[in-house]
Amino acid sequence: MATRVDLAKATERAWRMLGHDLRHRIEDLAQDGVVLQLDSEHHGRTPGSPYVLALRTEDGPRAEASSNANLHPKYHLDDKAVEALLELGWREPEEVGGNFWLPIDESDDLAPAIAAHAMVAAMRSVFGVPHPAFLADSEVLAEPSDDHADPFAAHHPHGPAAVFPSGRGDLKQFVEWVLTEDLGSRPEYDEDGDIPFVCGDSVVYVRVVEGDAPVVRIFSHLVRDVSQHKYAASVVNELNRDVECAKFVLAGKTLVLRADLPAYPFAPEHLRTSLATITSWVAGNARDVAYQVGGRLLLED
């Protein structure tokens, strides 16, 4: 393995980028405001899912964070979560059905930054959103370096939802640009031509697959040296039944996770969301799976 991409650092940078973008959007707050909402189904805003917003009111601009009155029961805040919001500077709802709120003093140059921090912290620390890719209407901005021009510009100057690669090399450039934007630097490849993301003692790889149909593959050798083969088959069946973001297969003594993303057209947010979902799942579940099938993780001694 030639290099490792630190997923934790990449995630931290993504949140910082979102906070930086929010601050500027709040400084120039448009009449329709700014809304960030958990996209739990990856199809836009989901009714009842957590959200934060900044808007102009008759009493001046303010930020809001969704309260239980506006949340689906599965997202309801317990006393500990409410306390966490208050510690972040949010104020209790002013009326029944209202949200937690935070005034934005336009005479205070620091107010937009304070509001942006409170909005990001609420989504990340209180509502538990693992990555900005899970948010609908988030506009995380990044300026590519001078020596790494935006390959989407030639296809669409306003940042398309999808582009049509002309071949594997074209698709590889698109994938590299998206990951460079999120990581803050150009990703390095291992000896197999894959881009690795370290998740604890596991590694998730991104690969542009050769073939007639353009495909971006996200995969992991989830567990190696599987010893409980008979039991492993039932574990694989359960994983394929319960985990929607990827498929699992037992190849010899290795339990492999794989997700193939059709890439004609190639959708940058599809890659971001899928990668964030899979790496989060691997980081939280790989060790338990290894224990069940009697194996070890890739980076485990």
Side-chain angles (χ1 to χ4, degrees), residues 111-222:
I114 293 171
H117 171 76
M119 291 169 70
V120 168
M123 295 306 291
R124 185 180 184 185
S125 302
V126 179
F127 293 116
V129 178
H131 191 280
F134 287 83
L135 298 176
D137 285 2
S138 60
E139 298 177 7
V140 182
L141 303 181
E143 292 296 331
S145 60
D146 293 338
D147 64 343
H148 193 69
D150 179 356
F152 293 107
H155 295 260
H156 198 300
H158 304 297
V163 292
F164 292 86
S166 60
R168 183 173 185 267
D170 207 22
L171 176 57
K172 196 170 182 179
Q173 185 185 23
F174 291 153
V175 169
E176 184 177 304
W177 183 84
V178 170
L179 297 181
T180 296
E181 184 182 51
D182 290 349
L183 296 170
S185 61
R186 188 177 302 180
E188 297 183 25
Y189 296 83
D190 67 10
E191 58 270 21
D192 295 321
D194 304 323
I195 301 173
F197 288 78
V198 174
C199 310
D201 285 332
S202 300
V203 182
V204 172
Y205 301 90
V206 174
R207 170 186 294 175
V208 175
V209 179
E210 294 189 43
D212 295 334
V215 170
V216 178
R217 177 169 295 164
I218 302 173
F219 68 98
S220 175
H221 298 146
L222 192 64

Side-chain angles (χ1 to χ4, degrees), residues 51-55 57 59-67 70 77 82 85-105 114-115 118-119 122 127:
Y51 63 86
V52 292
L53 57 87
L55 77 165
T57 70
D59 298 323
R62 63 190 284 172
E64 294 190 6
S66 47
S67 68
N70 298 302
L77 301 167
V82 170
L85 279 175
L86 298 179
E87 289 178 353
L88 289 171
W90 294 97
R91 302 182 183 182
E92 293 271 10
E94 297 176 293
E95 57 189 18
V96 176
N99 285 323
F100 294 90
W101 66 287
L102 185 70
I104 302 174
D105 184 356
I114 293 171
M119 291 169 70
F127 293 116

Side-chain angles (χ1 to χ4, degrees), residues 215-292:
V215 170
V216 178
R217 177 169 295 164
I218 302 173
F219 68 98
S220 175
H221 298 146
L222 192 64
V223 183
R224 294 191 174 226
D225 299 333
V226 172
S227 60
Q228 304 294 332
H229 282 271
K230 291 184 178 179
Y231 184 57
S234 65
V235 171
V236 168
N237 288 336
E238 290 177 2
L239 290 171
N240 283 323
R241 180 193 66 199
D242 298 336
V243 181
E244 298 180 357
C245 62
K247 296 300 180 184
F248 301 82
V249 62
L250 191 61
K253 293 185 177 182
T254 302
L255 199 166
V256 179
L257 171 155
R258 193 176 87 179
D260 284 352
L261 312 181
Y264 196 81
F266 169 66
E269 285 308 310
H270 189 193
L271 173 59
R272 286 189 174 106
T273 303
S274 297
L275 183 58
T277 302
I278 290 171
T279 51
S280 295
W281 186 92
V282 169
N285 295 277
R287 187 166 297 282
D288 288 342
V289 175
Y291 176 79
Q292 292 179 58

Side-chain angles (χ1 to χ4, degrees), residues 42-84:
H42 313 314
H43 295 296
R45 299 178 189 172
T46 303
S49 64
Y51 63 86
V52 292
L53 57 87
L55 77 165
R56 292 190 174 277
T57 70
E58 293 180 355
D59 298 323
R62 63 190 284 172
E64 294 190 6
S66 47
S67 68
N68 286 346
N70 298 302
L71 290 171
H72 187 281
K74 71 178 180 179
Y75 296 118
H76 273 185
L77 301 167
D78 57 20
D79 292 342
K80 185 176 180 181
V82 170
E83 183 179 349

